[in-house]
Amino acid sequence: MEVVIGLLAVLVLFFAAGYFIRKNIYREVDRLEARKIEIMNRSLADEMARVKELKMTGQAEELFEKWRQEWDEIITSQLPEVEELLFDAEDHADKYRFKKSKEVLKHIERMLDAAEQNIEQIIEEIYELVTSEERNSSEIEEVREKFKKAKKTLLAHSHTFGNAHAKLETALYEVYEALKLFESETESGNYLAAREILTKQTAVLEQLCAQIEVIPALLSDCQTVIPNQLSEIKDGYEEMASQGYFLGHIQIQSETERISGSLSLFQEKISLLETEGIHESLQEIHESIETMYDLLEKEVHAHHYVLAETLKTESALQELHAEKLISKEETDAVKLSYHLSEEETSRLRHIDKQISSLQKRYTHIQDKMANEKIAYSLLKDELIELEKQMSDVKAEHAEYREMLHALRKEELTAREQLSEARTLLSEAARLVSKSNIPGLPAVYTELLSDAKRSVSQVSEKLNELPLDMVAVNVLLEDAVSASAKVREQTEDMIEQVYYVEKIIQYGNRFRSRDENLSRELSEAEKLFRHYEYESSLKKAATAIETVEPGSFEKIGSLVEEDLEELKNK
């Protein structure tokens, strides 16, 4: 029983699979049938009608007949065969011959593809034929007009084409014959052949027109313009050489021979209508000629420059030498009064050597000019370099002379500062004398002695010969600083003395009532008598502020009045 059920299940599955496969095949048959109908419904009538508007002779008639036969073959043979094959595919499917059915369907697909490709090719060929006729009709007039213009130019200006004239005439005649053949092919209905002829001759005529336009100018350059320029250059070269110019570095002879050889080669190529690249080569020749003109002109300008600047340079060298001698005398004079370092004295020796070197270079340039064995442009470059070096030496010399003048100026400045330092010490002594202070603290006395000693040392150094300003400036800095400090300390000391005196006077009114205050003021007085004014002031100020806060500030206004009065005495 289980075996029977198993067989029934297998049969059911088999028939189910067969059902689905047949259904897919029928669907594919329907698709191919629809595609076949679509191809049958396509019509080439409109395309064929466009062909019939042409002259139905020759190539046009042959192609039309070919296309008609191919279309008939598709409609009457290929598509009916497809119909039969579709029935065969269905029949094989009904008989469960699925593999065979699928093979038939693939064959049908290929047949329909081939039919469609054939139709597309026919349409494309029709389009090519019809458009060829249309383009030929629209383009032939322009080609004929260009031909007439070229022919007219060649006849009217035949002398400007030289040996190329005959070659151009022959080429135009060949175009003319080709255009006659084009008309014959068109008349015979061979539109595609006519199109090929027209396309080729259009390109040929374009090239001929371009050559007719450029050849006269190229020949003019080769035969007239450039030869005349070369002749001018040669004449100018010979004339300048006769006037004494050294021109060996320009190589005029070899360059003109090279250019003349190139011109001959270009003329031969032009006569054969081989004009490609000649225009660019002629441009390079023009640039070369321009360079030769520039080089000759450069020599002329250099000659004028050398003649004009040589005398100026000689005069400037003489002036520089004379200024150096003056500087040497000034240096000797300065050495009597001032000490010059090795670096400072070596600067003049260096300047002297540089001036000697410049004079030698100038003499060398003069020798070259006399021997006439060097180009003026090179002489000009040497002269410009010499002038630049002279300018540098002149600037260095000016700096050296400024240094000499600065030494004297520095001495005057030092003496003025020394005088100011002495004035500070004198003012400090005057303030001490007027203030009637009991005595001077040891620190102040030592500071005053140091300041006086420093001032004295500067004075002695300024009187030495030769004068060493470096040493003077070092000592002067100390003297000025010490004098300023003495003046400052003097004012501070006098102010302290006045404060102590005023505070003690003010505090005496409280001594009988305050033993502590009395004791502190007595200590302050003791310090005062030993000239310890700063310590005395601190002790007295602290004591009085303890008894009466704010009194120190009140006493300060009185002290300021006394100090102001002291300064005005």
Side-chain angles (χ1 to χ4, degrees), residues 92 214 285 342 387 389 440 483:
H92 291 315
V214 301
I285 288 175
E342 175 59 27
E387 291 169 346
Q389 291 178 356
L440 300 176
S483 300

Side-chain angles (χ1 to χ4, degrees), residues 134-184:
E134 292 173 351
R135 285 183 287 174
N136 289 347
S137 299
S138 63
E139 293 174 12
I140 185 60
E141 290 305 319
E142 183 180 354
V143 172
R144 286 171 179 158
E145 188 62 32
K146 284 185 178 179
F147 176 82
K148 290 178 183 178
K149 184 179 179 181
K151 186 69 176 176
K152 182 179 179 181
T153 302
L154 202 59
L155 289 173
H157 306 284
S158 58
H159 63 285
T160 63
F161 294 93
N163 295 333
H165 183 267
K167 194 80 174 175
L168 288 169
E169 275 198 327
T170 301
L172 280 176
Y173 179 76
E174 291 174 357
V175 172
Y176 173 73
E177 289 297 318
L179 292 180
K180 286 174 61 178
L181 180 59
F182 164 82
E183 292 173 354
S184 174

Side-chain angles (χ1 to χ4, degrees), residues 403-417:
M403 182 271 295
L404 293 179
H405 297 155
L407 279 176
R408 295 177 176 177
K409 183 178 180 181
E410 193 174 7
E411 178 192 357
L412 294 176
T413 303
R415 292 188 182 278
E416 288 177 3
Q417 290 180 329

